[in-house]
Amino acid sequence: MTTLTASDAREHFADLLEKARHTGERTIITRRGRKLAAVVPVEDLELLEELEDRVDLAAVREALKERDKAVSYEEFRKTLGLGEK
């Protein structure tokens, strides 16, 4: 993985895109020594998005399992010792 400053990345942007597309190279862009962004192949982005979707789906499935344990707002307040409104 390559690391470039923002100004170097700007200067060589077309090359960065071609390297990402043809060789799969990932490039970290920095500004003042801090990581700012990355140029990655589209396939990497698509994989990341698919993984995020899977994590989200797993969270939804887990939440659906928990819905039978739902309590009313009033019951929740009582469990916190807040009494009735």
Side-chain angles (χ1 to χ4, degrees):
M1 186 165 2
T2 303
T3 301
L4 291 175
T5 64
S7 58
D8 287 341
R10 188 173 26 253
E11 194 174 311
H12 302 286
F13 191 65
D15 294 334
L16 291 177
L17 295 178
E18 287 304 308
K19 286 181 181 179
R21 180 175 179 223
H22 292 292
T23 68
E25 185 172 338
R26 300 170 185 154
T27 303
I28 300 293
I29 312 300
T30 63
R31 181 181 290 152
R32 297 185 188 110
R34 294 182 136 164
K35 293 178 182 177
L36 179 65
V39 176
V40 298
V42 170
E43 295 82 10
D44 287 7
L45 174 63
E46 290 170 344
L47 176 61
L48 178 60
E49 289 176 338
E50 182 180 334
L51 292 172
E52 288 175 336
D53 289 346
R54 288 182 187 186
V55 168
D56 291 345
L57 182 57
V60 167
R61 287 182 174 147
E62 199 58 37
L64 289 173
K65 288 181 190 176
E66 297 288 322
R67 72 178 171 186
D68 292 335
K69 299 176 187 176
V71 295
S72 69
Y73 177 68
E74 289 77 21
E75 290 176 61
F76 178 68
R77 287 181 55 82
K78 285 179 188 176
T79 61
L80 296 176
L82 298 175
E84 296 182 32
K85 282 174 98 177

